[in-house]
């Protein structure tokens, strides 16, 4: 974390054209996390606080120990799984407004994972939106991203470099099915590594449009798949690997597992197999080779470079703060294009597996 208390702006002060230039920033970075003083709450805090507003259930955004939580209603099941059943979690349907002290807040779909939200905060006519993680690509497992007009937009930048551009998700899903079929034809299993929350369910949902063959899943994915099923998301039928009878052959099977299972003794049961990794990081060829996967599938739950730029423009924000990932390159690029933009230093992790 570079500085604490105020955004770390490039080249000193931002332009004087911001309509609320005379006011203190509505959100600042404190040691606990992003903090809204007039509302007296934190957003995705990394240390326990009194009141936490949560954008989504990934580990670097939803952390335990806070007194009260508020999130989007469709993410309730995932938040309870992440934060524990006895955490005090309130939820709000998308779009519904709630007064908290001197501000009005509402949650709006971020298109990232089930129940993911951008948080809109309004204070005396000034509107800030905290994007959380988001994407614009269609995803059958969650509500599509909603453009929210605001004065200041805090955007993520996990893939904030021009090299990151995604292909059509349907083409990627067809590619995965072809890879599975090719392995199946020669009696090999196909072990596909993917992020346990969001990516795995998205792959199972995309594949369900192409086939109805069941897939096997690692224990780390299984309970999350169950939460998505409860929410009504249609996915391939799944079976838990550890519930398969000993000695059963996995020849021809597709197995979904978190990257941490790679190289572990858990892999031995699959006999002859190929490995794949579904991640935005697979856009860079060297990453696949270096990590020793047979195949890389470029699939991310974050906005790619063109969609980051498009989204910033769509919000019509007069000021953009960039967090989470390639903050400096994206902020520099926007400033070069005449956008009042600056990086905002936070310890969000940038989802190394996504
Ligand atoms: Zn996330
Ligand atoms: Zn994140």
């Amino acid at each position: 974390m570079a500085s604490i208390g105020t955004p770390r702006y490039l080249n000193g002060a931002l332009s004087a054209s911001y309509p609320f230039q005379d006011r203190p920033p509505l959100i600042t970075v404190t040691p606990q996390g992003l903090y809204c003083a007039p509302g007296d709450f934190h957003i995705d805090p990394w240390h326990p606080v009194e009141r936490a507003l949560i954008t989504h259930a990934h580990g670097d955004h939803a952390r335990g120990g806070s007194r009260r939580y508020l999130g989007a209603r469709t993410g309730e099941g995932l938040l309870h799984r992440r934060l524990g059943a006895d955490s005090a979690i309130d939820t709000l349907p998308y779009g519904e407004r709630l007064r908290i002290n001197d501000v009005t807040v509402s949650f709006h779909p971020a298109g990232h994972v089930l129940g993911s939200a951008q948080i809109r905060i309004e204070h005396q006519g000034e509107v800030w939106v905290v994007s959380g993680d988001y994407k614009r690509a269609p995803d059958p497992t969650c509500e599509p991203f909603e453009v929210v007009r605001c004065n200041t937009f805090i955007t993520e930048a996990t893939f904030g470099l021009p090299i990151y551009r995604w292909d059509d998700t349907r083409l990627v899903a067809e590619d995965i099915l072809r890879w599975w079929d090719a392995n199946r034809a020669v009696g090999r299993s196909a072990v596909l590594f993917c992020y346990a929350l969001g990516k795995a369910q998205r792959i199972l949902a995309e594949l369900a449009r192409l086939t109805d063959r069941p897939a096997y899943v690692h224990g780390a994915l299984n309970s999350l798949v169950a939460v998505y099923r409860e929410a009504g998301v249609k996915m391939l039928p799944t079976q838990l690997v550890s519930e398969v009878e000993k000695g059963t052959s996995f020849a021809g099977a597709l197995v979904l597992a978190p990257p941490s299972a790679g190289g572990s003794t858990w892999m031995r049961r699959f006999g002859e197999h190929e490995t794949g990794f579904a991640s935005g990081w697979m856009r860079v060829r060297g990453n696949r080779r270096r990590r020793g996967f047979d195949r890389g599938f470029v699939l991310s739950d974050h906005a790619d470079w063109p969609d980051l730029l498009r989204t910033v423009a769509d919000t019509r924000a007069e000021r953009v703060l960039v967090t989470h990932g390639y903050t400096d390159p994206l902020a520099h690029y926007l400033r070069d294009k005449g956008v009042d933009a600056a990086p905002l230093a936070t310890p969000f992790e940038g989802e190394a597996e996504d």
Side-chain angles (χ1 to χ4, degrees), residues 56-61 112-113 132-133 195 301-302 324 351 354:
H56 66 289
H58 276 149
D60 59 329
H61 296 264
H112 174 59
V113 297
D133 296 339
Y195 205 27
D301 286 327
H302 294 265
H324 208 292
E351 268 146 26
D354 201 52

Side-chain angles (χ1 to χ4, degrees), residues 54-58 62 71-82 94 108-118 133-135 139-144 196-202 223-235 301:
I54 302 294
T55 60
H56 66 289
H58 276 149
R73 176 124 335 146
T74 51
E76 187 168 7
L78 291 175
L79 287 178
H80 273 291
R81 267 208 58 78
R82 170 71 66 190
Y94 287 129
H108 302 267
H112 174 59
V113 297
L114 179 65
S116 64
Q118 311 168 72
D133 296 339
Y134 67 93
K135 72 172 177 292
D139 178 345
T141 70
C142 62
E143 308 78 359
L197 170 54
K199 188 70 57 67
Q201 295 76 25
R202 186 177 176 204
S223 56
L224 296 166
V225 169
V227 175
Y228 273 69
R229 284 203 202 283
E230 275 164 37
V233 176
K234 193 174 169 296
M235 292 172 287
D301 286 327

Side-chain angles (χ1 to χ4, degrees), residues 288-322:
R288 180 187 64 76
R289 273 202 308 269
R290 189 151 28 80
R291 298 188 57 174
F293 301 110
D294 297 313
R295 281 293 302 270
F297 299 98
V298 183
L299 187 65
S300 175
D301 286 327
H302 294 265
D304 64 1
W305 174 258
D307 279 350
L308 288 169
L309 301 182
R310 173 162 72 106
T311 303
V312 163
D314 285 351
T315 65
R316 289 154 64 203
E318 287 99 354
R319 191 165 73 185
V320 178
L321 300 175
V322 186

